[in-house]
Amino acid sequence: MTPFDPAQYLPDDLLARIRERAVVHDRDNTFPHDDLDELRAAGYLGILVPAELGGAGLTLADASVLQQRLAGAAPATALAINMHLVWTGVAKVLRDRGIDDLEFVQRGAAAGEVFAFGISEAGNDLVLFGSDTDAVPDGDGGYAFTGTKIFTSLSPVWTHLGVHGLDTTSPDAPKMVFAFLDRDEAVVTRDDWDTLGMRGTQSRTTDLRHARASADRVVRRIDPGPQPDALVFGIFAVFEILLASVYTGIARRALDLAVEAATSKRSKKTGTTYANDPDIRRRVAGMAIAYEALPPQLAALSADVDAVVDHGARWFSLLAGVKHRAVTMAKSVVDDAVLVAGGSAYFSRTELSRLYRDVLAGMFHPSDPESAHSTAASAWLGPVTA
């Protein structure tokens, strides 16, 4: 078997162009259309699609490495593409387990179609296990969705939007309904994305106004609440691993920039570079120790998903934990990189300034710190008793 070469899918020259454009999209609060066009042309939208369906046939572990690499060039581009890769990753998780419910996602992605993630809702801490969006059956197996989704990355460009809603009217209600919508007048994208960081994702609010999904695009009707459906597991697993990958990639870039600053700046007091300063050396060492723990964890956990390893109920704690560790590690590493670089990093034109703002978005993605700790506590201590 030929060893996996990340540069085959994300060449250095492509990353250089993406990095150069990142500052423009951050400054102008615009979507990176050129990045998407080049990534689509390179087949990146289909990296998790089987070769027999027109994709690259990569593993989730491979995609994790690639997303770390892409995030080092442009965090917002990586985070936006993440949401497409979540759906192709879920399709892979299902197919690996003998379920082909999302083959249309795989074929569409291989053809260059863009799938977006429309799950998050304001104030809904149930996330996958509940919804404030109404899902009303149309009598033919399809559904009409009415509600509001937040943080819809890829808003200007998506072709299909994966959503969930709650059916409260069917005889067997309540049922959680997962389906895919096409872009039409019933799906309204607000122009409301003006944030501190991750501006290029254009993760705008989406209003669903009786938006219809046909019967062949309704992929699940399941009971609300935690349960072992493969689709729910796939969403949680791929979402957490690829999110952790993006923030790990940010940390690596911040570490590289800190090393560059330490080895190039010279002290007036000593006449040598700051790489010889014991305080700087200790700070960079701490950054490296924190960062180097995450890539192996991501590789191991991704490989377990790929290999259909059964961790049972521990899966959710393992997945929430790696996302939480990646985000907190990345924020700490970026903080220290700013200190190593010194006052120049305070200027908004610098890459570290952008990373400092971009990395803050990590705390808002599920699982947030409270949810991650609650999940871990339940895994080790059991549920809270009266």
Side-chain angles (χ1 to χ4, degrees), residues 255-280:
L255 176 56
D256 288 343
L257 290 173
V259 170
E260 181 181 306
T263 54
S264 62
K265 292 172 56 178
R266 304 189 76 84
S267 167
K268 293 287 187 181
K269 182 165 58 178
T270 66
T272 65
T273 66
Y274 281 97
N276 293 311
D277 182 291
D279 293 325
I280 295 294

Side-chain angles (χ1 to χ4, degrees), residues 162-195:
V163 300
H164 74 343
L166 187 64
D167 175 359
T168 60
T169 62
S170 292
D172 60 349
K175 290 290 184 181
M176 290 295 302
V177 182
F178 291 81
F180 286 82
L181 305 173
D182 294 334
R183 188 184 285 275
D184 62 24
E185 66 277 0
V187 183
V188 178
T189 299
R190 301 184 198 174
D191 187 8
D192 62 351
W193 190 250
D194 187 9
T195 50

